[in-house]
Amino acid sequence: MIICTEFDTINKKPKVVVKLTNKNLIDLEAMSVEQIDKIVRRAKKIMKSPADYRHACDGKILATLFYEPSTRTQMSFQTAMLKLGGRTIGFDNPMNSSVSKGENLKDTISVISGYSDIIAIRHPLEGTAMAASLYSEVPLINCGDGGHLHPTQTLTDIVTLSCEKGRLDNLKIGVCGDLLNGRTVHSLIKTLAKYPNNSFVLISTPELCVPLYIIDILEKNGCKYEISNSLADAVTDLDMLYMTRIQRERFKSEEDYQAQKNVFVLDREKLDKARDDMIILHPLPRVNEITVEIDDDPRALYFKQAQYGMYGRMALILLLIQDDDFLIEERPAQLFDSSTGCQARCKNPKCITQIETYLPRRGYRKLGMRMCDYCDKRID
Amino acid sequence: MIICTEFDTINKKPKVVVKLTNKNLIDLEAMSVEQIDKIVRRAKKIMKSPADYRHACDGKILATLFYEPSTRTQMSFQTAMLKLGGRTIGFDNPMNSSVSKGENLKDTISVISGYSDIIAIRHPLEGTAMAASLYSEVPLINCGDGGHLHPTQTLTDIVTLSCEKGRLDNLKIGVCGDLLNGRTVHSLIKTLAKYPNNSFVLISTPELCVPLYIIDILEKNGCKYEISNSLADAVTDLDMLYMTRIQRERFKSEEDYQAQKNVFVLDREKLDKARDDMIILHPLPRVNEITVEIDDDPRALYFKQAQYGMYGRMALILLLIQDDDFLIEERPAQLFDSSTGCQARCKNPKCITQIETYLPRRGYRKLGMRMCDYCDKRID
Amino acid sequence: MIICTEFDTINKKPKVVVKLTNKNLIDLEAMSVEQIDKIVRRAKKIMKSPADYRHACDGKILATLFYEPSTRTQMSFQTAMLKLGGRTIGFDNPMNSSVSKGENLKDTISVISGYSDIIAIRHPLEGTAMAASLYSEVPLINCGDGGHLHPTQTLTDIVTLSCEKGRLDNLKIGVCGDLLNGRTVHSLIKTLAKYPNNSFVLISTPELCVPLYIIDILEKNGCKYEISNSLADAVTDLDMLYMTRIQRERFKSEEDYQAQKNVFVLDREKLDKARDDMIILHPLPRVNEITVEIDDDPRALYFKQAQYGMYGRMALILLLIQDDDFLIEERPAQLFDSSTGCQARCKNPKCITQIETYLPRRGYRKLGMRMCDYCDKRID
């Protein structure tokens, strides 16, 4: 049970909200280690005997609401549902939808949750999945809300690690590329930091180094970590190397992008220095940060990883739809504070509250600061 | 059986056509009260025990041909078919289809009706569904042909009314908003006028008042009606209030639109004056004509209405595909007149006959005027 | 078993490749007459008792990867898979896919072949299906690679002919329209030339005459043929007339297109001179080369042909997925030559190797020339 204060923008006054825990996956941090382990175990069971699950979701409908295109993620969810015997509806282009006639998120979700048994949503604005979950009568999965969160990508990584290394603890993990903007990297580090005795090598240029709050998390969890600016040096003693794309759209100028994009490239020469049992993951799509020459190396698992992701999503859908005990806490209760005084408006220009102005203002206090409950940015 | 004259544009001469009644839903007016009641009864049965219908359309395929996007309507039809065990194919963008290579409607329908068991079509031009039905070998449903007809929206309204009020007669019905251009309002009034003892309150600005022919229909059916320009006054004694969006695209200038758009807004204050058992419907999407503050009011049924619509569409699909006795008259026979001399060409620039010039010219006589059988506009 | 040399662009040296025969349909020429007959027989069996095949592909997934839109072909494949009990995923617009983030073909195929049981691919560049097949772990079907090949269209034509004429040999076949650029015409001629005693009437303007290599094939196979510039004359004694669209996009100027587009039009007058048992086929979409006035003539089979195509695709999917003995030779072995020295780069600007530069360079020798194994154009 969660008690929090929100500012009701409709009646223009604060109100105390008591929420039941719920069945949405908005933020992987809200999931306990036990829940993650449960998903991984279920994914393995499905992989082992997929025929047993072929009718597990007979008659159920998944709605994929993609307010920005992401064919890969959408196809992975669709395939997952189809392989469970369910069906899918949805859109991949807001211009074809009622949105283009001025419809707000609340109305779209209210209607679609009357058609479907589970919703998978992607949106360019931060906090959208959280906002949508307020109005959905069926479980809802965050498939990416701007640069904020993308929990099922991390789920994919975790399932892959567990299947290929046989454990989620006692691992030495290298992450390489854009550690500043890469939401998948942040989420992966936060999740693996919960498991005992994992250590991290953070490989990036100084400009694209991990944000301080990630370092905070590592230190609080007592994780060992090193910062490195040489992939060749770092690669020699890892259990897993997580490569990421330098995302053009995150840079202010083409010049800045060009300066960064070729710094870390995993090629045959560097890979030859790695251990034989190291595995290479990548959230895909890649651009040039892994050369195609190593695709056939048995350590290159990024394509297989996409398949693990599909099984992870099958497990997630199943648990959210069928397992009444599988309740995900929306927000760790201690973060909420009924005296927050959350009527202040979030000023993050990429927050969904900027557009959907009827949304109740919800916040929490963290390290003495007031934070927006949708986009997790500081309110003031 | 229907006998009419059409002008064969291919052989360039009039010919008499004898048509069997058929299994298309082009215009809800062609449906008898008994047929509407049959759909409503079937929708209720499906709602009550959906599992009984989960395999009703096993192996059947619905083609959704959307020549202009309308995700909401398309998803409603797709969901309806999937919940009956059927499958769907289709497109939502003519630019991705053979149409962009210059294919005419006749050829598209001829091919698709060879792939599918039922077709749902939407098109920006008036009369397209009627034209398409001439070439389809499977039942065809009109999902909107320009500003002309959208019968399954009215079906949605009727199912909602019947389920929520328990009857379709003896109702006092308020309709509010753009009564001039709103095809859903016209269709709803025409349909409810067929049931005994319904009365209407027509709430609009003078500029957006209902067309005269609707008043004619009300008078011919002996329905009581009042014209009102105050939503606050009118709302006090209604069984149902039907709110509609002021559609920007119908106005000549942005100025005209702005002048009209905020005149009638249903808010908490006005709703407080309404009866406790009044229900509020809206075809959606809404813009600002209903404030979000009343969405949680138990009388606000517009989201539930969308769900009723899905059940109505399930019933319709089932009856068109499976019930051999469920034949819909294409046009009330008395409207046809073999001496019409229908070789004149329809001049309505939004009529499908402007583009698809091979279509036979078909007309009927009404109040002494010659009317186009596709778009129902005066020919001369 | 196939032995060939390819130039490994990654390791920058030639290597000898031994390939098993495989289960892709890239080029219909790779299929034996026995295999074509097997597909036709299977298609007929499915037509006869479709209910027997309703669950033949239960639990299987077809991915339709359409890098350029072709709704007709995509819907035909989707319908085929749905009617076999399978499901479909896919896209019809590369801009909505990971491709727009810079992903290469290899990665897309590697991931999607982990989601699906069979892939149908269409792409504007020549040789793409062949290139994709190198990275797919599931059977792959070419649905059109630029102006190069479109084997399932020819399969459609063959199924139609066999069902409607009862044979694939001893036929007098007229082909009319753009015989220069029409890939469907070339493929049909090449296929029918393999069956005994077929003769051809090639009806076109001198500008749009068949390429010389087609004449070569006819002569090598000992087929009779005539060249005609009069549809009215040629139509009188045919078993089948194959009409094709003059494709605007193939012409250098609008003027050239206008000059050609109305030369051959099949109308009532010309059709009246044809035999009663002649059948008319067309790959669709048509523009104006067949007038709508003859659509109701029993000889006009182009709409029914689309339906035959669906059954042909059902048979093909079934055989590729289920029949372990149905192996299609990628390339007639004798064309390969380990001394080809295929490191030269294909210069065809429309070849997929221009964009996907990591592709191994593969070639074969034909009539003393070196040919690109992807697009079948001369390398030097």
Side-chain angles (χ1 to χ4, degrees):
Chain A
M1 205 181 69
I2 296 173
I3 298 173
C4 67
T5 304
E6 67 179 31
F7 185 77
D8 182 343
T9 55
I10 294 163
N11 296 306
K12 312 255 185 310
K13 56 185 178 191
K15 73 174 176 191
V16 174
V17 181
V18 179
K19 295 209 54 154
L20 293 174
T21 50
N22 52 49
K23 305 204 69 173
N24 306 309
L25 175 52
I26 308 303
D27 182 352
L28 202 66
E29 278 201 270
M31 221 181 247
S32 65
V33 164
E34 289 69 32
Q35 286 180 312
I36 292 174
D37 290 345
K38 191 167 188 174
I39 294 177
V40 172
R41 279 198 309 276
R42 183 64 61 97
K44 287 176 180 174
K45 278 181 72 176
I46 298 172
M47 271 176 244
K48 213 172 159 187
S49 45
D52 291 354
Y53 293 86
R54 198 188 284 171
H55 298 289
C57 287
D58 267 9
K60 301 291 183 191
I61 289 178
L62 163 72
T64 56
L65 309 186
F66 276 51
Y67 287 81
E68 66 177 1
S70 175
T71 311
R72 183 64 53 74
T73 304
Q74 196 171 15
M75 284 173 84
S76 179
F77 270 102
Q78 288 169 339
T79 308
M81 190 55 163
L82 293 174
K83 283 181 180 285
L84 291 168
R87 304 292 168 246
T88 70
I89 56 171
F91 58 79
D92 61 4
N93 188 342
M95 285 307 90
N96 285 3
S97 78
S98 301
V99 177
S100 66
K101 294 180 187 158
E103 184 167 77
N104 66 33
L105 181 70
K106 178 180 197 283
D107 288 12
T108 302
I109 297 296
S110 298
V111 172
I112 301 300
S113 80
Y115 291 170
S116 58
D117 299 286
I118 186 164
I119 292 175
I121 188 170
R122 187 186 185 96
H123 198 284
L125 291 180
E126 302 175 8
T128 302
M130 158 77 176
S133 74
L134 301 179
Y135 305 108
S136 177
E137 292 178 20
V138 298
L140 184 144
I141 300 170
N142 186 1
C143 299
D145 56 337
H148 184 222
L149 299 166
H150 188 10
T152 61
Q153 178 59 52
T154 305
L155 197 60
T156 294
D157 305 336
I158 293 292
V159 171
T160 308
L161 254 185
S162 176
C163 289
E164 292 288 336
K165 300 302 294 181
R167 64 185 193 277
L168 293 171
D169 49 23
N170 288 287
L171 292 167
K172 186 165 185 183
I173 293 145
V175 291
C176 177
D178 181 352
L179 307 190
L180 177 64
N181 301 300
R183 62 185 174 187
T184 59
V185 167
H186 303 167
S187 179
L188 181 65
I189 292 174
K190 288 191 282 187
T191 304
L192 287 174
K194 294 178 181 174
Y195 288 83
N197 210 26
N198 286 327
S199 65
F200 297 86
V201 186
L202 310 168
I203 311 154
S204 73
T205 59
E207 292 82 3
L208 296 179
C209 190
V210 287
L212 276 182
Y213 89 95
I214 292 288
I215 300 290
D216 273 355
I217 287 169
L218 289 173
E219 297 196 337
K220 271 185 195 147
N221 284 276
C223 299
K224 285 187 206 155
Y225 67 93
E226 318 161 29
I227 288 174
S228 165
N229 58 16
S230 164
L231 177 54
D233 292 346
V235 80
T236 55
D237 187 36
L238 297 173
D239 292 300
M240 187 262 273
L241 172 62
Y242 196 85
M243 294 295 296
T244 63
R245 177 166 65 100
I246 307 291
Q247 298 181 269
R248 180 173 297 189
E249 59 270 32
R250 306 282 180 205
F251 288 85
K252 277 171 198 140
S253 72
E254 180 66 18
E255 211 172 31
D256 289 357
Y257 169 66
Q258 292 299 339
Q260 296 286 340
K261 99 174 171 171
N262 295 315
V263 179
F264 298 112
V265 173
L266 182 65
D267 54 18
R268 169 60 55 203
E269 194 188 352
K270 295 194 192 85
L271 185 56
D272 282 346
K273 299 178 183 166
R275 283 173 16 211
D276 282 349
D277 65 346
M278 184 189 79
I279 62 172
I280 308 160
L281 303 195
H282 189 299
L284 300 183
R286 71 167 154 185
V287 181
N288 69 334
E289 58 280 359
I290 299 178
T291 62
V292 291
E293 67 188 343
I294 67 165
D295 288 356
D296 295 331
D297 192 290
R299 292 168 286 188
L301 291 181
Y302 26 92
F303 299 134
K304 200 169 174 192
Q305 179 185 3
Q307 218 176 350
Y308 282 125
M310 185 189 72
Y311 287 110
R313 290 180 175 105
M314 289 174 79
L316 177 67
I317 290 170
L318 256 184
L319 289 168
L320 289 178
I321 285 186
Q322 294 190 334
D323 186 337
D324 289 340
D325 299 329
F326 195 78
L327 302 168
I328 300 170
E329 290 210 5
E330 189 180 288
R331 170 77 61 194
Q334 67 277 18
L335 289 185
F336 281 84
D337 171 359
S338 62
S339 64
T340 298
C342 57
Q343 66 271 39
R345 200 155 173 262
C346 177
K347 292 179 198 73
N348 171 11
K350 292 180 181 169
C351 179
I352 186 68
T353 57
Q354 300 289 339
I355 305 291
E356 309 279 329
T357 52
Y358 56 85
L359 286 170
R361 292 182 198 148
R362 299 175 56 156
Y364 59 94
R365 216 170 266 282
K366 186 175 159 186
L367 303 175
M369 298 179 295
R370 293 194 298 170
M371 311 295 285
C372 173
D373 199 28
Y374 298 94
C375 69
D376 295 306
K377 298 289 182 301
R378 277 186 68 174
I379 288 179
D380 48 16
Chain B
M1 205 180 70
I2 296 172
I3 299 172
C4 67
T5 303
E6 67 180 31
F7 185 78
D8 182 343
T9 55
I10 294 163
N11 296 306
K12 311 256 183 311
K13 57 185 177 190
K15 72 172 176 192
V16 173
V17 181
V18 179
K19 294 211 54 156
L20 293 173
T21 49
N22 53 48
K23 305 206 69 174
N24 306 309
L25 175 51
I26 308 302
D27 182 352
L28 201 66
E29 278 200 272
M31 220 181 249
S32 66
V33 164
E34 289 70 32
Q35 286 180 311
I36 292 174
D37 290 345
K38 191 167 188 175
I39 295 178
V40 173
R41 278 198 310 275
R42 183 63 60 98
K44 287 177 181 174
K45 277 181 74 174
I46 299 172
M47 270 175 245
K48 213 173 159 187
S49 44
D52 291 356
Y53 293 86
R54 199 188 283 171
H55 298 288
C57 287
D58 268 9
K60 301 292 183 191
I61 289 179
L62 163 72
T64 56
L65 309 185
F66 276 51
Y67 287 81
E68 68 177 359
S70 175
T71 312
R72 183 65 52 76
T73 303
Q74 196 171 15
M75 284 173 83
S76 180
F77 269 102
Q78 287 169 338
T79 308
M81 191 53 162
L82 293 174
K83 282 181 180 283
L84 291 167
R87 303 293 166 246
T88 69
I89 55 171
F91 58 79
D92 61 5
N93 188 342
M95 285 307 90
N96 285 3
S97 77
S98 302
V99 177
S100 66
K101 294 181 188 157
E103 184 168 78
N104 67 32
L105 181 71
K106 178 179 196 283
D107 288 12
T108 302
I109 297 296
S110 298
V111 172
I112 301 297
S113 80
Y115 292 170
S116 57
D117 300 284
I118 187 165
I119 293 175
I121 189 170
R122 186 186 185 95
H123 198 285
L125 291 180
E126 303 175 9
T128 302
M130 158 78 178
S133 74
L134 300 179
Y135 305 107
S136 176
E137 291 179 21
V138 298
L140 184 143
I141 300 170
N142 186 2
C143 299
D145 56 337
H148 184 222
L149 298 166
H150 188 10
T152 61
Q153 177 60 53
T154 304
L155 196 62
T156 293
D157 306 335
I158 293 291
V159 171
T160 308
L161 254 184
S162 177
C163 288
E164 291 288 335
K165 302 301 296 180
R167 65 185 193 278
L168 293 170
D169 50 22
N170 288 286
L171 292 167
K172 185 164 185 183
I173 292 145
V175 291
C176 177
D178 181 353
L179 308 190
L180 177 64
N181 301 301
R183 64 186 173 186
T184 59
V185 168
H186 303 166
S187 179
L188 181 65
I189 292 173
K190 288 191 281 186
T191 305
L192 287 175
K194 293 177 180 175
Y195 288 83
N197 210 24
N198 286 327
S199 65
F200 297 87
V201 186
L202 309 168
I203 310 155
S204 73
T205 60
E207 291 83 3
L208 296 179
C209 191
V210 286
L212 275 181
Y213 89 95
I214 292 289
I215 299 290
D216 273 355
I217 287 169
L218 289 173
E219 296 196 337
K220 271 185 194 149
N221 284 277
C223 300
K224 285 187 205 154
Y225 67 93
E226 317 160 30
I227 289 174
S228 166
N229 59 14
S230 163
L231 177 55
D233 292 348
V235 81
T236 54
D237 187 36
L238 297 173
D239 291 300
M240 187 261 273
L241 173 62
Y242 197 85
M243 294 295 297
T244 62
R245 179 165 64 101
I246 306 292
Q247 297 180 270
R248 180 174 296 190
E249 59 269 32
R250 305 284 181 205
F251 288 86
K252 279 171 198 142
S253 72
E254 180 66 17
E255 211 173 31
D256 289 358
Y257 169 66
Q258 291 299 338
Q260 296 285 342
K261 100 172 171 172
N262 295 314
V263 178
F264 298 113
V265 174
L266 182 65
D267 55 17
R268 168 60 55 202
E269 193 186 353
K270 293 194 193 85
L271 185 57
D272 282 346
K273 297 178 183 166
R275 285 180 7 218
D276 283 349
D277 66 345
M278 184 188 81
I279 63 173
I280 309 160
L281 302 195
H282 189 299
L284 300 181
R286 72 168 154 184
V287 181
N288 70 334
E289 58 281 359
I290 299 178
T291 62
V292 290
E293 67 186 343
I294 67 166
D295 287 357
D296 295 329
D297 192 290
R299 292 167 287 188
L301 291 181
Y302 26 92
F303 298 133
K304 199 169 174 193
Q305 180 185 2
Q307 217 175 351
Y308 282 125
M310 184 189 72
Y311 287 110
R313 290 180 174 107
M314 289 173 78
L316 177 66
I317 290 170
L318 256 184
L319 289 167
L320 288 178
I321 285 186
Q322 294 190 335
D323 186 338
D324 288 341
D325 299 329
F326 194 78
L327 302 168
I328 300 170
E329 290 210 4
E330 190 181 289
R331 171 77 60 193
Q334 69 276 16
L335 288 186
F336 282 84
D337 171 359
S338 63
S339 65
T340 298
C342 57
Q343 66 271 42
R345 200 158 172 260
C346 177
K347 292 179 198 75
N348 171 11
K350 294 180 179 169
C351 181
I352 185 68
T353 56
Q354 301 289 339
I355 305 290
E356 309 280 329
T357 51
Y358 57 84
L359 286 170
R361 291 182 198 149
R362 299 175 54 156
Y364 58 94
R365 216 169 266 281
K366 185 175 158 187
L367 303 175
M369 300 178 296
R370 292 195 299 170
M371 312 294 287
C372 172
D373 199 29
Y374 298 93
C375 69
D376 295 306
K377 297 288 182 300
R378 278 187 66 174
I379 288 179
D380 48 16
Chain C
M1 205 182 69
I2 297 172
I3 299 172
C4 66
T5 303
E6 67 180 29
F7 186 77
D8 182 342
T9 55
I10 294 164
N11 296 305
K12 312 258 185 308
K13 56 185 179 191
K15 72 172 176 192
V16 173
V17 181
V18 179
K19 294 209 57 155
L20 293 174
T21 50
N22 53 47
K23 305 205 67 173
N24 306 308
L25 174 51
I26 309 301
D27 182 351
L28 202 65
E29 278 200 272
M31 221 181 248
S32 66
V33 164
E34 290 69 33
Q35 285 180 311
I36 293 174
D37 289 346
K38 190 167 190 176
I39 295 178
V40 173
R41 278 198 310 275
R42 182 65 58 97
K44 287 177 180 173
K45 277 182 73 176
I46 298 172
M47 270 177 246
K48 212 172 160 188
S49 46
D52 291 355
Y53 293 86
R54 199 189 284 171
H55 298 288
C57 286
D58 267 8
K60 301 291 184 192
I61 290 178
L62 163 72
T64 57
L65 309 187
F66 276 52
Y67 287 81
E68 67 176 359
S70 174
T71 310
R72 182 64 53 75
T73 304
Q74 196 170 15
M75 284 172 83
S76 180
F77 270 102
Q78 288 169 339
T79 308
M81 191 54 163
L82 293 174
K83 282 181 181 284
L84 291 167
R87 304 293 166 244
T88 70
I89 55 172
F91 57 78
D92 60 5
N93 187 342
M95 284 306 90
N96 285 2
S97 78
S98 301
V99 177
S100 66
K101 295 180 188 159
E103 185 167 78
N104 67 33
L105 181 71
K106 177 180 197 282
D107 288 11
T108 302
I109 297 296
S110 298
V111 172
I112 301 298
S113 80
Y115 292 170
S116 57
D117 299 285
I118 187 166
I119 292 175
I121 188 170
R122 187 185 185 95
H123 197 285
L125 291 179
E126 301 174 10
T128 302
M130 158 77 176
S133 74
L134 301 179
Y135 305 108
S136 177
E137 292 178 21
V138 298
L140 184 143
I141 300 169
N142 186 1
C143 299
D145 57 337
H148 183 221
L149 299 166
H150 187 11
T152 61
Q153 177 59 52
T154 304
L155 196 61
T156 294
D157 305 335
I158 292 292
V159 171
T160 308
L161 254 184
S162 177
C163 289
E164 293 287 337
K165 299 303 294 181
R167 66 186 192 277
L168 292 171
D169 50 22
N170 289 285
L171 292 166
K172 184 164 187 185
I173 293 144
V175 291
C176 177
D178 181 353
L179 307 189
L180 177 63
N181 301 301
R183 63 185 174 186
T184 59
V185 167
H186 303 166
S187 179
L188 181 65
I189 292 174
K190 288 191 283 185
T191 305
L192 286 174
K194 295 177 181 175
Y195 288 83
N197 211 25
N198 287 326
S199 64
F200 298 86
V201 186
L202 310 168
I203 311 154
S204 72
T205 60
E207 291 83 2
L208 296 179
C209 190
V210 287
L212 275 181
Y213 87 96
I214 292 290
I215 299 290
D216 272 355
I217 288 170
L218 289 173
E219 296 195 337
K220 271 186 195 148
N221 283 277
C223 300
K224 286 186 204 156
Y225 66 94
E226 317 162 27
I227 289 174
S228 166
N229 59 15
S230 164
L231 176 55
D233 292 348
V235 81
T236 55
D237 187 36
L238 297 173
D239 292 299
M240 187 261 274
L241 172 61
Y242 197 84
M243 294 294 296
T244 62
R245 178 166 65 102
I246 307 292
Q247 297 181 269
R248 179 173 297 189
E249 59 269 32
R250 305 282 180 207
F251 288 86
K252 277 173 198 141
S253 72
E254 179 66 17
E255 212 172 29
D256 288 357
Y257 169 65
Q258 291 299 338
Q260 295 287 342
K261 99 173 169 170
N262 295 313
V263 179
F264 298 113
V265 173
L266 181 65
D267 55 18
R268 168 60 55 201
E269 195 187 352
K270 295 193 193 86
L271 185 57
D272 282 346
K273 298 178 184 165
R275 285 177 10 215
D276 283 349
D277 66 346
M278 183 188 81
I279 63 173
I280 309 160
L281 303 195
H282 189 298
L284 300 182
R286 70 167 155 186
V287 180
N288 70 334
E289 58 280 0
I290 299 178
T291 62
V292 291
E293 67 186 345
I294 68 165
D295 288 355
D296 295 330
D297 192 289
R299 292 168 286 188
L301 290 182
Y302 26 93
F303 299 133
K304 199 169 174 192
Q305 180 186 0
Q307 218 176 349
Y308 282 125
M310 184 188 73
Y311 288 110
R313 291 180 174 107
M314 289 173 77
L316 177 66
I317 290 171
L318 255 184
L319 289 167
L320 288 179
I321 284 187
Q322 294 189 335
D323 186 336
D324 289 340
D325 299 329
F326 194 79
L327 302 168
I328 300 170
E329 289 209 5
E330 190 179 287
R331 172 78 59 195
Q334 67 277 16
L335 289 185
F336 282 84
D337 172 359
S338 62
S339 64
T340 299
C342 56
Q343 66 270 43
R345 199 155 173 263
C346 177
K347 292 179 198 72
N348 171 11
K350 292 180 181 169
C351 180
I352 185 68
T353 57
Q354 301 288 340
I355 304 290
E356 310 278 331
T357 52
Y358 56 86
L359 286 170
R361 291 182 198 148
R362 299 175 55 156
Y364 58 95
R365 218 170 267 280
K366 186 175 158 186
L367 304 175
M369 299 178 296
R370 291 195 299 170
M371 311 296 285
C372 172
D373 198 28
Y374 298 94
C375 69
D376 295 307
K377 298 289 181 300
R378 277 186 68 172
I379 288 178
D380 47 17

